[in-house]
Amino acid sequence: AQSVTQLGSHVSVSEGALVLLRCNYSSSVPPYLFWYVQYPNQGLQLLLKYTSAATLVKGINGFEAEFKKSETSFHLTKPSAHMSDAAEYFCAVSAGGFKTIFGAGTRLFVKA
Amino acid sequence: DGGITQSPKYLFRKEGQNVTLSCEQNLNHDAMYWYRQDPGQGLRLIYYSQIVNDFQKGDIAEGYSVSREKKESFPLTVTSAQKNPTAFYLCASKGLAGGFTDTQYFGPGTRLTVL
């Protein structure tokens, strides 16, 4: 079975500071991992995905994530936060079949 | 432009009423999904469908029903048996050519409120 744990339901950073959103996964087979972003009252939009081609994945809006098998982690980072990054972020895992398992989400606040 | 549309954006239901949420996609995707989103609980899978005229229950199917008569459409009915239907509902679709590495694309959501 697959599962995803996002550490921290809320993260607050200052504008210009590093953004780090943590995600750990559990999977009995090689996983495929995703990060999505959701703005208020909207659907989810794909930020990036890992499909085993490269462990460091670059996405949209300056975000990137690194797959670390030994740590079963797929943390999302951005070097410098912008006010427009304030949103909810979801980590997800797909490991066979047609289902994708989503984490509970981390809400990012950006302070001016 | 290709994408997923959901309607209505806001829906109000009285106690004992059935309501139907619409989901249409023009991405030519085979698989479609319905999720329920509650604050702090992430996304929970209600139903999913891999092909026309076939669908499977997800983790929280009780009180909901679906149909898949056309590839483009996957409506969700929230029945009176669903005791706590107030939530944000998201529809998604996925192509299956790439297997489970394919990305799920989401619609804009429908917010359902019980009066």
Side-chain angles (χ1 to χ4, degrees):
Chain A
Q2 293 77 42
S3 66
V4 174
T5 302
Q6 292 185 240
L7 302 176
S9 59
H10 297 84
V11 170
S12 182
V13 301
S14 297
E15 194 172 22
L18 172 72
V19 175
L20 171 61
L21 304 182
R22 300 177 187 272
C23 173
N24 288 89
Y25 70 90
S26 173
S27 178
S28 57
V29 298
Y32 294 90
L33 297 157
F34 306 82
W35 275 101
Y36 287 86
V37 61
Q38 184 182 34
Y39 299 99
N41 291 313
Q42 294 186 26
L44 276 66
Q45 177 185 1
L46 181 72
L47 273 178
L48 50 82
K49 66 178 181 181
Y50 166 76
T51 58
S52 77
T55 56
L56 183 63
V57 182
K58 295 187 183 299
I60 63 172
N61 301 339
F63 285 93
E64 63 182 36
E66 186 173 9
F67 173 71
K68 292 187 176 181
K69 184 178 179 180
S70 61
E71 299 178 8
T72 61
S73 69
F74 190 57
H75 301 333
L76 182 71
T77 61
K78 181 174 181 179
S80 177
H82 191 272
M83 297 296 288
S84 61
D85 295 326
E88 188 152 23
Y89 292 81
F90 292 91
C91 182
V93 62
S94 174
F98 300 98
K99 293 184 182 181
T100 299
I101 308 302
F102 290 84
T106 297
R107 184 165 296 278
L108 176 66
F109 296 92
V110 182
K111 300 175 290 186
Chain B
D1 289 336
I4 303 175
T5 57
Q6 291 186 242
S7 62
K9 187 168 180 63
Y10 297 96
L11 185 58
F12 298 91
R13 192 193 93 167
K14 295 181 181 179
E15 295 280 353
Q17 271 187 338
N18 291 356
V19 291
T20 297
L21 283 60
S22 170
C23 177
E24 303 276 334
Q25 55 99 358
N26 61 3
L27 299 168
N28 199 32
H29 285 169
D30 294 292
M32 296 187 74
Y33 305 79
W34 273 106
Y35 293 92
R36 170 177 171 144
Q37 186 177 22
D38 297 280
Q41 296 194 43
L43 277 67
R44 292 185 289 169
L45 183 63
I46 305 172
Y47 270 97
Y48 64 104
S49 167
Q50 301 167 26
I51 57 172
V52 173
N53 293 323
D54 187 49
F55 48 83
Q56 287 78 41
K57 293 182 178 180
D59 302 315
I60 56 164
E62 184 176 353
Y64 300 97
S65 65
V66 294
S67 63
R68 186 88 187 274
E69 297 178 0
K70 298 186 299 182
K71 186 176 183 178
E72 303 79 21
S73 179
F74 191 42
L76 173 74
T77 297
V78 184
T79 75
S80 58
Q82 172 50 240
K83 297 307 178 187
N84 185 23
T86 295
F88 192 52
Y89 291 86
L90 288 162
C91 179
S93 70
K94 185 169 82 167
L96 298 179
F100 54 87
T101 64
D102 279 337
T103 302
Q104 284 195 16
Y105 292 89
F106 284 82
T110 292
R111 186 166 297 281
L112 173 62
T113 303
V114 173
L115 300 175

